[in-house]
Amino acid sequence: MQPSLEPDQQLLLSTTAKFLDEFAPPAEVRRLRDHDAGFEPDYWRRGAELGWTSLLVSEDAGGGSVSDNGLVDLALIAHEFGTHAAPGPLLPTSIVAGAVSRHDPGHELVGALLCGDAVASWAFTEPVPNDALGTVTVQARVDGGDIVLRGTKRPVESAVQASHILVVAATGSGLTQVLVPTDAVGIERRSMKTVDLTRRFASVTFDDVRVPVTAVIGEVGGAAPAVEEQLQQALAILAAESVGAMQHAFDMTIEWAFNRYSFGRSLASYQALKHRFADMKTWLEASHAIADSAAQAVGAKSPDAAKLASAALAYIGHYGSELLQDCVQLHGGIGVTFEHDLHLMLRRHTLDRTLYGTPAEHRRRVAGIDQKGRNAA
Amino acid sequence: MQPSLEPDQQLLLSTTAKFLDEFAPPAEVRRLRDHDAGFEPDYWRRGAELGWTSLLVSEDAGGGSVSDNGLVDLALIAHEFGTHAAPGPLLPTSIVAGAVSRHDPGHELVGALLCGDAVASWAFTEPVPNDALGTVTVQARVDGGDIVLRGTKRPVESAVQASHILVVAATGSGLTQVLVPTDAVGIERRSMKTVDLTRRFASVTFDDVRVPVTAVIGEVGGAAPAVEEQLQQALAILAAESVGAMQHAFDMTIEWAFNRYSFGRSLASYQALKHRFADMKTWLEASHAIADSAAQAVGAKSPDAAKLASAALAYIGHYGSELLQDCVQLHGGIGVTFEHDLHLMLRRHTLDRTLYGTPAEHRRRVAGIDQKGRNAA
Amino acid sequence: MSENALEDVESFRARAKEFIHANLRPSVGPSFGMRDVGSMEVELALVEHDRALQRALYEAGLAGVCVPKEYGGQGLTPAHQRALNDAISGFEYPGRFQAPTFSPCMAVLLDFGTEEQKQAHIPAMLRGEELWMQFLSEPSGGSDVAGALTNAVRDGDEWVMNGSKIWTTGAWWSDWALCLARTNWDVEKHRGLTVFIFPIHQAGIEIRRIEMLNGSKEFCEEFITDLRIPDSDRVGDVDEGWTVGTRWMMHERTLMNSSYVTMPAGRSEGGGRIGDALAIAAAAGKQDDPVVQDLLGELEVLELVSNALQRRLGDGMRAGTMSPQASAIGRLFHGSAGVRSGSILFEIVGAAGGAWEDEDGELAERGVDFLMRQIGSIGGGTTEIARNVISERVLGMPRERAVDKGIAFRDVPRGPSSQHSEA
Amino acid sequence: MSENALEDVESFRARAKEFIHANLRPSVGPSFGMRDVGSMEVELALVEHDRALQRALYEAGLAGVCVPKEYGGQGLTPAHQRALNDAISGFEYPGRFQAPTFSPCMAVLLDFGTEEQKQAHIPAMLRGEELWMQFLSEPSGGSDVAGALTNAVRDGDEWVMNGSKIWTTGAWWSDWALCLARTNWDVEKHRGLTVFIFPIHQAGIEIRRIEMLNGSKEFCEEFITDLRIPDSDRVGDVDEGWTVGTRWMMHERTLMNSSYVTMPAGRSEGGGRIGDALAIAAAAGKQDDPVVQDLLGELEVLELVSNALQRRLGDGMRAGTMSPQASAIGRLFHGSAGVRSGSILFEIVGAAGGAWEDEDGELAERGVDFLMRQIGSIGGGTTEIARNVISERVLGMPRERAVDKGIAFRDVPRGPSSQHSEA
């Protein structure tokens, strides 16, 4: 999160933080562990009232952001989701609301997403052996006035709760995005397990699912730029959320170090631990910095957006795990118990580093961009 | 080095240590920086008298070891070479003396190598783009009573000083080893630069070098097992030498930490540094352990020899660099000056981790052995 | 016992082999990540099976190889124990008895117990009748085990104990406890401790199973309230508990090389992951990915080095060229390598580390294992403590400033987070 | 000076651009690993070129952007300096003047110098006539710069100095020194220091060039013998040198964000290695090796994060939401990332890292760079000190026990390795 915010951003942030403090405390997160959806519809509607779902939607479509960069504003919300390990389909709903509203500002789904009545999901990634980031094998084929989908996507967030899934599919050598109602014939959703307590995922199989071509968002075979933009948005959201999780775990561990005494003095007085906290603080500030840069660049569609977004996931994915696990280590045994809160943040970060490419895949993506630049030069 | 030695091994070790203390002190190593050969012939002959060159040569060929595992004994010498960053072509001479004596115990080169009058080298590795460990593109072709060599090897240790080079070449799909006198027509030796102050390397090009087939060591096209054994021996020697370099640098840095005061107390009293010394001590003991295991297994031709030898290089290469560089760090600026002795060990270790495969290549080799095992199972 | 009377190692080995091949089942592969084993019934059945295995070994003359015959052991040598370890490699064995029942608990009794205590308990342990646990760590204590707040007050021929202990493996299915408690608050920390033994299942001890974040309930916390212990169940002298404690810790640290412990040769806690890793890589379809090969190689290298290091440390300590404190080197390596190996496995799993289906086979649940990555660097003494031991005891560097030296334990600062019921 | 009189930033930017494009040459790429630049003649020529560049900037009204006009500067704002940094990006600039001449030396003079000192030296610096160096570190001192043993004794209107300083970049081609010395041994360490300035090339100062292990002779050691300094060349009060020293260190730490320093935008010391790395990978024929791609990506990620972090810290410190001590975070990142980047480059080089031919092009000499891997974690304050600063000053953790507090400096233990000539 940036070291200084505009007053409107500050308000958005503090309103969300206060709401989550009250309605998503650790006890509630633990309770939702066995909840089918992982969140209560009313909680989600009230969050939507705070603006959570509107930030990637332009004003003419009923949305709106508080600064000139809606993704930066959304990153503030995502950061708070991270600090609270908060429930709710923030990422997929935001991505779909943005994508559909850019295609058709008057689409009725947009209104339902904005007010929190509906949930939607984005189906981009695929299972092994097609799990490399960007691989798309699900086929979208035009058949008269219909478009027919075949293949499997996973993990698809909140797919069981969603009314619609925006599916990324291949048509020839191009990409097509199709907005499929989840009650369409031929859709099978199998719930998955996850490290997170409140997020929910499914594997979704499309067995020749047939919808009218009007369900295509953008153009048939021409969706690649939109998909890339949505991916970058997803990365910026994941980065911000991950940093929020790191920040809270770090704060908890600092407090523990000051209050926990061993051999008659606080853990915070031991130089070996102090130096590890210094390293962690450095990783944390660096993570904030690259997450902010990524959100800024992606939101502004800068030329370096792809590189910064992947750099954020690569850095935060790796160093975030090191930070969170060192927080566990410094807590000792209590840090790996279910009753302690630390693992809520560890779970959220661990999930986020797997959803849209692992750190290794993002390192590769960055290197690929550099190499392309060099070859072009 | 093993925590306890047999009396004969102890004697071999202490004799060599004393000799190197006297004849290869840091000042002498620095002086040899500008010496063509990197060592004085008389120094080498006297080292040979101590048994340095005899340990891989069987008694019937005039050699002999002090235990039942000559490679373990040689590893003791190599360890002392590491602690002193000592001059001299220990590795190539030992490998060639062993290989030639196993082929022909009466070969006259063996005697000359044993008494230190001659130096020989083993040419196995090749330059970019054939520098992957094990790639052999130099061709050996039988032409009547001759064998003809074509291609380039590098780095070849002490190639300019050597009377003979044992060249690993490809004949069809097999390997052939040819012992080539360095005055043969068509050999070009170009001196290389190196991080080490006293070791010398050359790039050696064979431009249809023709020697009698009697120069073939082993069988034409059948040398692969011998080459693998020699490689493993080389790895065991490099591992032992590297650990010696680590041990000496660690000892120097421990002493520095006790004697150097900062803010009124010794560096050794700072917990953050104490914990780093604990890590280094652990890497060091682990390096000793795997180097010893490797020498033992390779010398005894155990089934796990290949895996242990590569594990040693992979571990010692990586963690040795971390240890040595942390010794530099703990010394501060003085640690990167030419006048300080620390870099002599850093140079030796850095060289050794590049000569017969980098740590990454050895990790790959280990994984390959495992995978083969799994596929066979 | 004259030395001549000793069975020679090779005939012992042959006898052991014969029994093992005839009576024990092959071992199932090691499991990592401390996953939930299932219901309490399943776990109890496993415990009963271990008791039966131990009983069978006892009856075959293969239990307590280095324990004196008068306490039900075989009175043999460490070389015999190693022969047994070799012979049992690849077979099932009574794992739950080895640590902490045989070491450190039995080892401490052999070192400090009264003749009555030894006679009462050691044969029972060897027969598989008594499973012991250490009541050592405390919720407020962390790494400072000598800072125990659990309090024992003398009352005639008895002691009355109050306090709580934590991180006891399976206290709910164990029989006896070895417990460190404070008996004097007016002296320095290490001078006011006493060691006791008592049955775990009795009034005055309430056991709570702790849920770990992966669902495992392996560990327990015990609340001790007005527990009465006869003075005859005291081990060592009053207020001299740290003399016992020092040996106790030493036995714990040198567990892997203990001659009281039966541990199939070639097995080490950190080891055996390469098989898992290859299976994961295959399931992820990445066995030919060079980056994954690099990681697989690194994992296997760490395992080979770990084995070599444990052997080196064992040899060095046996030969006396290394102090027993050098075992902290093995502990630190094990912890660090475990962390790295855990990361490597998670890397190879890829996207399935975050969300998975049961049908994912080798890829399933790996994300939960990753959440537990640090467990091997925490349990059994943290790596931080190991680093202190190595720098101070092995390398001889100055000790950390001890705020708790030279003052009565009741005056030692305990910080805002620690409450305790003091005498 | 009224605010209205200020040239607006955009017209300043335009003016700077025009001058730069017309007069300066494009920069050659950054070079890493601190290699030997060649002979003394070559180095002196480079220094003279920097002096000429600085003179040209001065004459164009582009020197000392934030320095008051009365000392020869432009009296403008940090925004103007940033505009100049943008404009000069991609062009040559007088690098040797920025650190330490403009910061910390000129900055310290502006903070603490007498009017006479400022008038005498600041315009000369801005005109390219005076290159300054810091006489700060000492052979015995390491990270403890306040533990200076170099001794200055008052003698009437003069001071007589003896001692030695080390790690001075290019003292042999520089003009003036800013020097920290001990003037009182009977008080606590920080209370007996005084700061002086003096010309470097005079009797009483002997300069020795230090050979680094890569052949570079960038650094010098100075031996000071009975050097006489007029009291008018004292900076700050007698025995109050640490008041000056604290600001001095602060200027050093915040160099990257200093408004006295001209530094082409987008350039950072740790950055720019990705170009090198791609060239190395191509030369090694490994540009398509997935393991190498992983390393290349990691290198570039570290560089992107480094730039983002420096920007964040600069913004935070400017906005006052972060303390100046937060610069230690940037320093630690830079040091750690530099170490990792150095390892990555060496990994990619492969076998040529140990032995190479001149014809190897991008692969040559890389092994020597690797030997110098730590330089970025040592020079300019070690990463260890940065970790102390972050934990104690940024996170507010308890300070390390200071043995040298509360006693006269002459009684502070200095250990067996340190000899010194005491007053």
Side-chain angles (χ1 to χ4, degrees), chain D residues 153-198:
Chain D
V153 180
R154 188 148 197 164
D155 180 22
D157 274 353
E158 292 186 329
W159 295 80
V160 182
M161 187 180 285
N162 283 281
S164 61
K165 294 288 179 177
I166 196 167
W167 308 126
T168 317
T169 308
W172 63 279
W173 47 251
S174 298
D175 308 300
W176 277 77
L178 182 71
C179 178
L180 183 72
R182 185 155 309 278
T183 44
N184 191 341
W185 295 73
D186 298 315
V187 292
E188 272 194 333
K189 180 170 82 172
H190 292 93
R191 297 171 183 274
L193 298 163
T194 305
V195 172
F196 300 93
I197 60 177
F198 46 77

Side-chain angles (χ1 to χ4, degrees), chain A residues 96 120-127 135-141 147-160 162-170 176-190 202-211 215, chain C residues 357:
Chain A
V96 174
S121 192
W122 186 41
F124 176 47
T125 55
E126 302 194 356
T135 303
V136 175
T137 69
V138 169
Q139 296 296 316
R141 158 175 70 82
I147 191 145
V148 182
L149 290 168
R150 181 166 195 87
T152 299
K153 289 285 179 181
R154 90 164 214 196
V156 183
E157 183 161 1
S158 292
V160 176
S163 68
H164 292 76
I165 299 177
L166 181 61
V167 183
V168 180
T176 305
Q177 291 202 98
V178 187
L179 188 67
V180 184
T182 50
D183 57 7
V185 175
I187 287 188
E188 190 200 354
R189 293 172 284 181
R190 290 189 312 282
S203 175
V204 183
T205 298
F206 303 88
D207 185 7
D208 284 336
V209 173
R210 181 175 292 268
V211 290
Chain C
E357 299 175 79

Side-chain angles (χ1 to χ4, degrees), chain A residues 66-83:
Chain A
V66 301
S67 75
D68 60 354
N69 188 326
L71 188 62
V72 169
D73 301 336
L74 180 54
L76 297 175
I77 306 296
H79 183 275
E80 288 308 300
F81 265 60
T83 62

